[in-house]
Amino acid sequence: MEKIDYIVLAGYFLLLVLMGIWGYTKIKSSADFYTAGGKLPWWLSGISHHVSGYSGAVFVAYAAIAYNYGFTLYMWWALSIAIAMVGTVLFIAPRWARLRSKAGIQSPTEYLATRYNLPTQQVMAWSGVIIKIFDVGAKWAAIGILLNAFTGLPLGTGILTAGLVSMIYITMGGLWADVVNDLASFLIQFTAGIIMMVMVLAQLGDGLNGIFTMWDRLPAAHGQLYNGPYTPAFAISFTVICFFSFSGGTWHLATRFISSPSGTEARKAATLSMLMYLIWPLILFFPMFAAPIFIKDLADPTQSYAMMAMKFLPHGLIGLLLASMFGNTLAMTAADANTISAVITRDILPVLYKKLKSFDQKKMLVIARLTTFLFIVTTLIIAFQSKSFGGVFGLIITWFSALVGPTAIPMILGLLPAFKHSDSRAALFSIFGGLITFAVMKSFMTVSLTAELASPIVTSMIIYIGCGLLFRTKVKPEVEALLNSLKEDEEL
């Protein structure tokens, strides 16, 4: 990069700090810090849900998949998410907003004490926090790789830079700062993505037809819908995981719906995010698909997107593109930090320290900021050890995707009246069944990527639904009342 690129990147860092200061002025309580007081407009919530659903890992690990395997990346990733979110729109998103307005929740796990019991809530809260430490650590590692490719910064320096910037603005501005960053990073990404696609098409020399004729210049398998280990079975497994993850099993995505004013607004937000996953990746991924034409026999495919950007974009726009990728990662990691802090502060610490329940709003806000800070520090430590867990792709796909299912099953299905007979016993058995399945397959078996991805969540689902059907336990009155309250908005 040249001087103008560094100026653009530094300007974005400054903008993030200003967002944090702006968010600070809007926060008077932990409810403002964690859920924006339930005042997020649907369009901002929808954009935030979309942007915070992926990070710089898309431009690193997924760029390598596009370089090696082609169009299948869109099929198993973006299209699978869009299909999965149909269920989110219809059944799940509105219920999260109603939980906040009717039950007063601020964290995604807060309702679980009523839905199941306190021990089940604690198991799910602790499990989710531990899983998220690995997931966010992978995202710091991804942005470190991007900064290294663009600027030559050592990996560790890049990780620390990303972590410190994120730490400043999210601990100050909470959710408000985070969603505004989501909006800004998407606008930058949209501008840079469109320009990148136009520049690549110009170099292909066939006008708009290059979108279709490009595939004749790539390896034949790159134009196939499913290629390599990314089979239709893998895509189906990933779609199932995405339903639970994007519905709120990935907690910071639930927060986008929780922070909506009503169930109707949350449904609009989910619909917008779904449509963005269906359309935008076709543009965003285009340079990744074209990379083998211009950069042949690349030793490290994770750097393919960065090299394409430096090859085709003028200086200034390179810095803008890096800022957008940086913003994406910080948006996702900051969202995770905010939500995990909510779970720790609202659901874990009050059990460990009873007096916390008597703290006033000012003290709770201090606790909220402190837990956010400590979570980020822990994830940075994991980022420095990412190679020990299979690198960025290994952490995101193998560890996070495989582990999120067992904890997400009782959380998401627990919102639906159809599964009201699945009680705390079903929830705990399903969680431990899924985690044990993952541990056994990871430690003692050699299986396909599809089996490794699908087995934990399938095991959990069978146990959770099976226990509900087999035991048909009597539904507690408070559980019945909770589920009935989520059927419609108050104004209806």
Side-chain angles (χ1 to χ4, degrees), residues 224-299:
Q224 295 177 2
L225 299 183
Y226 299 98
N227 184 21
Y230 308 104
T231 62
F234 177 88
I236 292 171
S237 301
F238 191 73
T239 300
V240 173
I241 290 173
C242 285
F243 167 71
F244 290 99
S245 175
F246 284 78
S247 289
T250 299
W251 293 345
H252 72 268
L253 299 179
T255 301
R256 271 56 190 164
F257 302 137
I258 292 171
S259 304
S260 297
S262 68
T264 301
E265 296 292 290
R267 178 173 279 130
K268 290 180 182 177
T271 301
L272 176 59
S273 181
M274 176 190 70
L275 293 174
M276 292 174 73
Y277 273 109
L278 188 65
I279 299 169
W280 174 240
L282 290 171
I283 298 171
L284 183 67
F285 290 167
F286 186 77
M288 302 183 195
F289 297 144
I293 296 175
F294 301 98
I295 307 172
K296 299 184 182 300
D297 302 320
L298 185 59

Side-chain angles (χ1 to χ4, degrees), residues 183-389:
L183 176 62
S185 64
F186 179 74
L187 292 175
I188 295 171
Q189 182 192 105
F190 181 83
T191 302
I194 293 292
I195 293 173
M196 186 83 159
M197 183 176 182
V198 170
M199 296 291 286
V200 171
L201 282 172
Q203 290 294 319
L204 289 172
D206 201 15
L208 288 177
N209 288 332
I211 296 173
F212 308 101
T213 60
M214 171 186 74
W215 302 99
D216 296 331
R217 301 164 63 180
L218 289 163
H222 279 221
Q224 295 177 2
L225 299 183
Y226 299 98
N227 184 21
Y230 308 104
T231 62
F234 177 88
I236 292 171
S237 301
F238 191 73
T239 300
V240 173
I241 290 173
C242 285
F243 167 71
F244 290 99
S245 175
F246 284 78
S247 289
T250 299
W251 293 345
H252 72 268
L253 299 179
T255 301
R256 271 56 190 164
F257 302 137
I258 292 171
S259 304
S260 297
S262 68
T264 301
E265 296 292 290
R267 178 173 279 130
K268 290 180 182 177
T271 301
L272 176 59
S273 181
M274 176 190 70
L275 293 174
M276 292 174 73
Y277 273 109
L278 188 65
I279 299 169
W280 174 240
L282 290 171
I283 298 171
L284 183 67
F285 290 167
F286 186 77
M288 302 183 195
F289 297 144
I293 296 175
F294 301 98
I295 307 172
K296 299 184 182 300
D297 302 320
L298 185 59
D300 184 6
T302 62
Q303 295 195 357
S304 62
Y305 191 80
M307 295 179 69
M308 287 288 287
M310 289 186 286
K311 183 177 181 68
F312 290 114
L313 289 182
H315 290 289
L317 280 178
I318 292 177
L320 188 68
L321 180 66
L322 180 57
S324 75
M325 292 187 283
F326 203 99
N328 260 131
T329 301
L330 293 192
M332 194 172 191
T333 52
D336 281 326
N338 181 266
T339 304
I340 294 298
S341 172
V343 171
I344 294 172
T345 303
R346 300 281 298 183
D347 305 326
I348 293 178
L349 290 182
V351 175
L352 299 177
Y353 185 64
K354 303 293 184 184
K355 291 183 179 180
L356 199 71
K357 296 179 181 179
S358 63
F359 280 15
D360 59 23
Q361 290 289 350
K362 186 175 181 180
K363 288 183 179 179
M364 288 303 296
L365 190 54
V366 172
I367 296 296
R369 290 193 164 112
L370 179 61
T371 53
T372 302
F373 171 82
L374 293 175
F375 174 76
I376 291 175
V377 169
T378 306
T379 58
L380 288 173
I381 294 172
I382 291 294
F384 281 103
Q385 302 297 322
S386 62
K387 289 185 178 180
S388 300
F389 300 98

Side-chain angles (χ1 to χ4, degrees), residues 61-135:
Y62 293 177
I65 294 171
Y67 186 90
N68 290 324
Y69 299 103
F71 190 72
T72 188
L73 174 63
Y74 173 81
M75 295 299 297
W76 72 258
W77 187 75
L79 184 61
S80 292
I81 294 173
I83 293 172
M85 283 199 66
V86 173
T88 305
V89 170
L90 294 176
F91 304 112
I92 306 300
R95 295 175 184 272
W96 282 119
R98 292 165 191 157
L99 273 173
R100 179 196 52 76
S101 63
K102 297 183 180 184
I105 71 163
Q106 292 179 29
S107 85
T109 59
E110 199 166 344
Y111 92 100
L112 297 172
T114 301
R115 175 59 181 85
Y116 300 112
N117 56 27
L118 184 61
T120 303
Q121 180 208 42
Q122 290 299 294
V123 168
M124 294 178 67
W126 280 98
S127 300
V129 168
I130 292 170
I131 291 169
K132 263 300 170 185
I133 287 173
F134 289 97
D135 181 48

Side-chain angles (χ1 to χ4, degrees), residues 33-78:
F33 188 82
Y34 290 132
T35 66
K39 298 176 182 178
L40 279 188
W42 68 268
W43 58 269
L44 183 56
S45 179
I47 291 173
S48 179
H49 184 277
H50 174 80
V51 173
S52 56
Y54 57 92
S55 66
V58 168
F59 306 97
V60 178
Y62 293 177
I65 294 171
Y67 186 90
N68 290 324
Y69 299 103
F71 190 72
T72 188
L73 174 63
Y74 173 81
M75 295 299 297
W76 72 258
W77 187 75

Side-chain angles (χ1 to χ4, degrees), residues 448-460:
S448 68
L449 184 60
T450 300
E452 189 172 353
L453 193 68
S455 296
I457 193 169
V458 170
T459 301
S460 291

